[in-house]
Amino acid sequence: MNLLASSGQLRASFLRWSLVCVPALVLLGFLSGALAQSGPQNVWFAALAKPAVYPPPAAFGIVWTILYAMMGFSLALILAARGASGRGLACGVFALQFLVNLAWSPVFFGMHRITGALVVIAVLDVLVLATIALFWRIRVKAALLLVPYLAWILFATYLNYAFLQINRDLDGKAPSGAEIRYEI
């Protein structure tokens, strides 16, 4: 016996999944960055020469919050598609790409490994493409919600590469801890 859900039941399922996925992904993304001490306040990162296309630091928090929310809605659409063929694989690849996403900040900001972070983000690029392809087969809207994320991480891949090109001497190096203070 096959039972079909009403459109109201499908909407309710999507809303319930959204209430779980969106805050969880935003929180995990925030924690990854915070624990890795990402951003301009990181002493090692502050010492790096910045590429010409490096956006203002405030843009990263805004963009990532929006992207994590979109990823949460995208995942909620797939999770609400109960019984869809390929749903388990799609969710598994999504989870894998999300773990790789969370690993980038600790590798780049925490371990100061620009080359290692470039490898991580290259793997992420491939996994996000795979996730979009798998989501497309289930819900096109879910796949389309991930397109801005793909565009941003491709830009981030270029930034990572540019940081490596102009900061090879600081790849894998811990900050000296030395400070210069001037008393006035």
PDB file of all heavy atoms in Angstrom, residues 3 18 23 54 95 103 109 115 148 169 173:
ATOM      1  N   LEU A   3       1.060   5.285   0.408  1.00  0.00           N
ATOM      2  CA  LEU A   3       0.350   6.465   0.893  1.00  0.00           C
ATOM      3  C   LEU A   3       1.092   7.697   0.427  1.00  0.00           C
ATOM      4  O   LEU A   3       2.303   7.796   0.593  1.00  0.00           O
ATOM      5  CB  LEU A   3       0.261   6.455   2.414  1.00  0.00           C
ATOM      6  CG  LEU A   3      -0.513   5.287   3.027  1.00  0.00           C
ATOM      7  CD1 LEU A   3      -0.419   5.338   4.544  1.00  0.00           C
ATOM      8  CD2 LEU A   3      -1.977   5.344   2.602  1.00  0.00           C
ATOM      9  N   SER A  18      13.776  22.283   8.418  1.00  0.00           N
ATOM     10  CA  SER A  18      14.440  23.589   8.351  1.00  0.00           C
ATOM     11  C   SER A  18      14.767  24.112   9.744  1.00  0.00           C
ATOM     12  O   SER A  18      15.827  24.696   9.966  1.00  0.00           O
ATOM     13  CB  SER A  18      13.571  24.613   7.618  1.00  0.00           C
ATOM     14  OG  SER A  18      13.419  24.255   6.273  1.00  0.00           O
ATOM     15  N   PRO A  23      19.614  26.209  11.855  1.00  0.00           N
ATOM     16  CA  PRO A  23      20.410  26.619  13.028  1.00  0.00           C
ATOM     17  C   PRO A  23      21.620  25.715  13.265  1.00  0.00           C
ATOM     18  O   PRO A  23      22.686  26.197  13.659  1.00  0.00           O
ATOM     19  CB  PRO A  23      19.432  26.527  14.198  1.00  0.00           C
ATOM     20  CG  PRO A  23      18.079  26.505  13.600  1.00  0.00           C
ATOM     21  CD  PRO A  23      18.230  25.922  12.224  1.00  0.00           C
ATOM     22  N   TYR A  54      40.984  40.363  -2.155  1.00  0.00           N
ATOM     23  CA  TYR A  54      40.528  39.982  -0.817  1.00  0.00           C
ATOM     24  C   TYR A  54      39.412  40.936  -0.364  1.00  0.00           C
ATOM     25  O   TYR A  54      39.616  42.141  -0.271  1.00  0.00           O
ATOM     26  CB  TYR A  54      41.706  40.006   0.169  1.00  0.00           C
ATOM     27  CG  TYR A  54      41.339  39.615   1.569  1.00  0.00           C
ATOM     28  CD1 TYR A  54      41.031  38.301   1.880  1.00  0.00           C
ATOM     29  CD2 TYR A  54      41.299  40.568   2.588  1.00  0.00           C
ATOM     30  CE1 TYR A  54      40.696  37.936   3.170  1.00  0.00           C
ATOM     31  CE2 TYR A  54      40.964  40.214   3.876  1.00  0.00           C
ATOM     32  CZ  TYR A  54      40.658  38.901   4.166  1.00  0.00           C
ATOM     33  OH  TYR A  54      40.311  38.542   5.448  1.00  0.00           O
ATOM     34  N   ALA A  95      26.759  15.415   3.983  1.00  0.00           N
ATOM     35  CA  ALA A  95      27.427  15.368   5.292  1.00  0.00           C
ATOM     36  C   ALA A  95      28.946  15.361   5.125  1.00  0.00           C
ATOM     37  O   ALA A  95      29.657  16.066   5.850  1.00  0.00           O
ATOM     38  CB  ALA A  95      26.973  14.142   6.075  1.00  0.00           C
ATOM     39  N   ALA A 103      36.433  21.547   8.172  1.00  0.00           N
ATOM     40  CA  ALA A 103      37.860  21.283   8.385  1.00  0.00           C
ATOM     41  C   ALA A 103      38.751  22.392   7.828  1.00  0.00           C
ATOM     42  O   ALA A 103      39.893  22.542   8.255  1.00  0.00           O
ATOM     43  CB  ALA A 103      38.245  19.954   7.745  1.00  0.00           C
ATOM     44  N   PHE A 109      43.583  28.508   9.398  1.00  0.00           N
ATOM     45  CA  PHE A 109      43.814  29.455  10.486  1.00  0.00           C
ATOM     46  C   PHE A 109      44.461  28.823  11.708  1.00  0.00           C
ATOM     47  O   PHE A 109      45.279  29.449  12.373  1.00  0.00           O
ATOM     48  CB  PHE A 109      42.495  30.113  10.916  1.00  0.00           C
ATOM     49  CG  PHE A 109      41.947  31.065   9.908  1.00  0.00           C
ATOM     50  CD1 PHE A 109      40.884  30.704   9.102  1.00  0.00           C
ATOM     51  CD2 PHE A 109      42.476  32.339   9.766  1.00  0.00           C
ATOM     52  CE1 PHE A 109      40.361  31.583   8.167  1.00  0.00           C
ATOM     53  CE2 PHE A 109      41.955  33.226   8.836  1.00  0.00           C
ATOM     54  CZ  PHE A 109      40.903  32.854   8.035  1.00  0.00           C
ATOM     55  N   THR A 115      48.948  25.421   2.094  1.00  0.00           N
ATOM     56  CA  THR A 115      48.922  24.345   1.099  1.00  0.00           C
ATOM     57  C   THR A 115      47.919  23.272   1.489  1.00  0.00           C
ATOM     58  O   THR A 115      47.130  22.809   0.653  1.00  0.00           O
ATOM     59  CB  THR A 115      50.328  23.729   0.919  1.00  0.00           C
ATOM     60  OG1 THR A 115      51.236  24.762   0.547  1.00  0.00           O
ATOM     61  CG2 THR A 115      50.326  22.646  -0.135  1.00  0.00           C
ATOM     62  N   PRO A 148      25.049  29.280  -5.107  1.00  0.00           N
ATOM     63  CA  PRO A 148      25.846  30.393  -4.559  1.00  0.00           C
ATOM     64  C   PRO A 148      26.989  29.900  -3.660  1.00  0.00           C
ATOM     65  O   PRO A 148      28.078  30.480  -3.646  1.00  0.00           O
ATOM     66  CB  PRO A 148      24.827  31.206  -3.753  1.00  0.00           C
ATOM     67  CG  PRO A 148      23.507  30.872  -4.353  1.00  0.00           C
ATOM     68  CD  PRO A 148      23.621  29.432  -4.786  1.00  0.00           C
ATOM     69  N   ASP A 169      56.495  31.742   2.325  1.00  0.00           N
ATOM     70  CA  ASP A 169      57.391  31.690   3.481  1.00  0.00           C
ATOM     71  C   ASP A 169      56.642  31.538   4.808  1.00  0.00           C
ATOM     72  O   ASP A 169      57.238  31.145   5.809  1.00  0.00           O
ATOM     73  CB  ASP A 169      58.282  32.929   3.524  1.00  0.00           C
ATOM     74  CG  ASP A 169      57.502  34.227   3.512  1.00  0.00           C
ATOM     75  OD1 ASP A 169      56.424  34.273   2.883  1.00  0.00           O
ATOM     76  OD2 ASP A 169      57.967  35.205   4.128  1.00  0.00           O
ATOM     77  N   LYS A 173      54.064  28.053   9.175  1.00  0.00           N
ATOM     78  CA  LYS A 173      54.864  28.717  10.208  1.00  0.00           C
ATOM     79  C   LYS A 173      53.948  29.310  11.274  1.00  0.00           C
ATOM     80  O   LYS A 173      52.964  29.961  10.969  1.00  0.00           O
ATOM     81  CB  LYS A 173      55.700  29.846   9.602  1.00  0.00           C
ATOM     82  CG  LYS A 173      56.633  29.425   8.495  1.00  0.00           C
ATOM     83  CD  LYS A 173      57.912  28.935   9.078  1.00  0.00           C
ATOM     84  CE  LYS A 173      59.027  28.656   8.155  1.00  0.00           C
ATOM     85  NZ  LYS A 173      59.007  28.199   6.900  1.00  0.00           N
TER      86      LYS A 173
END
